Amino acid sequence: VDLGCGAGNVTRLLHTRWPDAAVTGVDNSPEMLARAQQALPSARFECVAVEAWQPEGPVDLVFSNAALHWVGEHAQLFPRLMTTLADGGVLAVQMPGNFEAPSHRLIRELAALPRWAGRVGSGRMGAVLKMGDYHRLIAPRVGRLALWETTFWQAMKGPSPVRDWLQGTTLVPYLAPMAAAEQSAFLEELDHLLQEAYPADSCGITLFPFRRIFIVAQR
């Protein structure tokens, strides 16, 4: 099962890795699932929120790539996901863990200023727990558990590389309700802050560290 499968990009990889398995993608976006079904007609897709998903029977692999940070109440979610696994089954999760980085903090601080409050969108970024919390939640319920984190250093070029990176994902809900002129003004103000936090070097390269956390648990 691919939780938060979106358009099925990773679902296809799971199907290629285990061609004889019954593969199911779960997402709450009908538009994304329509694209996924078209790309992988042999798989099953369910339109349901991750926090409400319940399998018909034990699952060998519950996989989630960059999705569970959007789901709250991890203290309840992760123990429940462990109960969906068959004996020997695996929960494998990757989530971004960059929410306290300067990039994300600056967005929240700018959006909270009086001149922007009420004009930007809700801007929910998602959230993750501390690694020790995941260990306490999962370890007593499994036979094997691996937790690790990796910081990927993105080397980027361009006049506003960090802003452009964030504009594709994190900034989308902030910008959604604003008119084009307001969006431009917000982005310009944010860009100045981001360039101070992430200056380019003498070669024009901006390094943007992005932390991701990984959980692999076997029941």
Side-chain angles (χ1 to χ4, degrees), residues 120-212:
V120 299
S122 61
R124 180 170 174 262
M125 287 185 174
V128 295
L129 302 177
K130 295 180 179 179
M131 295 296 269
D133 293 328
Y134 289 115
H135 187 277
R136 285 187 288 273
L137 287 170
I138 300 172
R141 296 172 168 84
V142 298
R144 299 173 62 188
L145 173 62
L147 301 171
W148 73 96
E149 60 184 53
T150 299
T151 299
F152 295 90
W153 288 81
Q154 309 291 336
M156 302 183 292
K157 287 186 175 182
S160 307
V162 177
R163 185 201 66 185
D164 294 344
W165 172 287
L166 296 168
Q167 198 168 340
T169 52
T170 306
L171 283 168
V172 170
Y174 286 91
L175 300 175
M178 292 194 286
E182 290 181 313
Q183 290 182 4
S184 296
F186 184 84
L187 290 172
E188 182 178 359
E189 191 169 347
L190 176 63
D191 193 33
H192 289 306
L193 299 172
L194 291 172
Q195 290 190 43
E196 291 181 4
Y198 302 95
D201 64 16
S202 59
C203 298
I205 302 294
T206 298
L207 290 176
F208 180 53
F210 201 102
R211 173 180 176 257
R212 293 187 179 272

Side-chain angles (χ1 to χ4, degrees), residues 20-166:
D20 297 326
V23 177
T24 299
V26 175
D27 203 277
N28 63 355
S29 169
E31 295 81 7
M32 287 289 188
L33 290 177
R35 292 167 55 187
Q37 190 73 78
Q38 184 177 14
L40 191 61
S42 61
R44 176 187 176 190
F45 292 94
E46 298 180 22
C47 187
V48 61
V50 167
E51 58 269 32
W53 168 76
Q54 187 65 38
E56 296 176 354
V59 177
D60 296 309
L61 172 64
V62 174
F63 186 94
S64 184
N65 180 63
L68 295 189
H69 62 292
W70 294 115
V71 181
E73 303 299 334
H74 281 193
Q76 288 75 47
L77 176 66
F78 276 78
R80 186 181 70 79
L81 291 178
M82 297 309 304
T83 68
T84 68
L85 297 176
D87 289 341
V90 172
L91 171 69
V93 174
Q94 183 274 126
M95 297 179 290
N98 228 35
F99 303 112
E100 299 306 317
S103 54
H104 293 61
R105 176 177 51 78
L106 289 170
I107 294 172
R108 294 193 298 267
E109 291 176 354
L110 180 60
L113 293 177
R115 60 181 174 276
W116 291 112
R119 298 165 66 187
V120 299
S122 61
R124 180 170 174 262
M125 287 185 174
V128 295
L129 302 177
K130 295 180 179 179
M131 295 296 269
D133 293 328
Y134 289 115
H135 187 277
R136 285 187 288 273
L137 287 170
I138 300 172
R141 296 172 168 84
V142 298
R144 299 173 62 188
L145 173 62
L147 301 171
W148 73 96
E149 60 184 53
T150 299
T151 299
F152 295 90
W153 288 81
Q154 309 291 336
M156 302 183 292
K157 287 186 175 182
S160 307
V162 177
R163 185 201 66 185
D164 294 344
W165 172 287
L166 296 168

